[in-house]
């Protein structure tokens, strides 16, 4: 049994082809720019939802997360099977941090592979290696976040050290797994000349090359979630980055030899 908070169908930015993305609840990080803050707490909960009918406003309670078995989740995933097959897509497990529910994740990945579905795990990398290692036989692709290279800054902006994340990435590559890096581009945090240069140096020093880098621009569209779920929004006044700035980072990474995309 696992706890999920969303299933996104027809996703085109979470790995190759058309995919169904499952969002598992719970994350050990607390990134200040998180676009899915409702996914950080591990347990299912409820949140007030305001509904307007004519000139009247009603507040109802809406579930944020629910429990599901791997078998029932598979029934959901099979619904888009034809689109996955025709497009070279598959299933992506995201979150939150999917490896926080390692047993449920591994069980569901194994069921997907039994039905020949392509699988991707979108991870912060902050997980016990044993939990990650258990998923390896059933995971075709890892979408792996690299945020801030300076450990003190990483702690400040995400709440945890980046050491385990960096070590696990090297282990994945040593195990011969396919990895794409996901780099959130957050003004003044990850998007600084120092951090981009340090990321490039880190990538070059890895034991094997990653397949490419996806730049994920910060956007303020999650602001409504912070107010709806009554969570403090540290980046309330943060503006999205102009396209030119993103293109400049893309160019810098490409000049260093890394296939780079804006978005997933
Ligand atoms: S790792 Fe992802 S899900 Fe977890 S807090 Fe950071 S941005 Fe949010």
């Amino acid at each position: 049994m696992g706890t999920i908070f969303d299933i996104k169908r027809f996703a085109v930015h979470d790995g190759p082809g058309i995919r169904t993305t499952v969002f598992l609840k719970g994350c050990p990080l607390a990134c200040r720019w998180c676009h899915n803050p409702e996914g950080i707490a591990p347990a299912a909960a409820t949140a007030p939802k305001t509904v307007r009918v004519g000139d009247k406003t009603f507040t109802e309670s809406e579930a944020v997360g629910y429990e599901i078995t791997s078998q029932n989740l598979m029934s959901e995933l099979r619904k888009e099977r034809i689109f996955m097959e025709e497009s070279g897509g598959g299933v992506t497990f995201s979150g939150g941090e999917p490896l926080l529910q390692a047993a449920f994740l591994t069980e569901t990945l194994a069921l997907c592979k039994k039905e020949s579905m392509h699988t991707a795990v979108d991870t912060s990398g902050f997980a016990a290696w044993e939990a990650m290692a258990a998923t390896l036989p059933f995971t075709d692709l890892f979408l792996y976040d690299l945020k801030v290279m300076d450990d003190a800054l990483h702690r400040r902006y995400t709440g945890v050290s980046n050491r385990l994340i960096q070590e696990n990435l090297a282990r994945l590559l040593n195990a011969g797994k396919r990895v794409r890096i996901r780099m959130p581009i957050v003004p003044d945090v990850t998007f600084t000349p120092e951090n981009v240069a340090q990321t490039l140096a880190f990538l070059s020093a890895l034991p094997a090359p990653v397949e490419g880098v996806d730049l994920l621009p910060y956007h303020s569209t999650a602001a409504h979630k912070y107010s709806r779920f009554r969570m403090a929004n540290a980046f309330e006044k943060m503006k999205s980055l102009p396209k030119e700035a993103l293109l400049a980072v893309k160019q810098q990474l490409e000049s260093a030899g890394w296939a780079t995309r804006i978005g997933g």
Side-chain angles (χ1 to χ4, degrees), residues 27 29-31 33-34 40 95-96 124 145 147:
C27 185
L29 279 69
C31 306
W33 58 86
C34 183
I40 294 177
S124 68
D145 290 1
K147 300 178 170 91

Side-chain angles (χ1 to χ4, degrees), residues 107-121:
E107 183 186 7
T108 316
L109 283 165
L111 291 173
C112 288
K113 288 318 298 172
K114 211 168 161 187
E115 299 192 20
S116 303
M117 292 178 181
H118 181 275
T119 54
V121 172

Side-chain angles (χ1 to χ4, degrees), residues 4 9 12 28 32 46 71 98 131 141 151 163 208 228 235 237 247:
I4 66 173
R9 302 176 194 279
V12 291
R32 295 198 194 176
T46 55
Q71 288 73 18
L141 174 69
D151 195 38
R163 292 286 146 76
R228 195 176 147 226
F235 284 3
K237 298 202 163 63
L247 288 172

Side-chain angles (χ1 to χ4, degrees), residues 9-24:
R9 302 176 194 279
F10 307 110
V12 291
H13 296 293
D14 296 333
I18 297 175
R19 311 189 71 81
T20 299
T21 302
V22 182
F23 294 84
L24 279 73

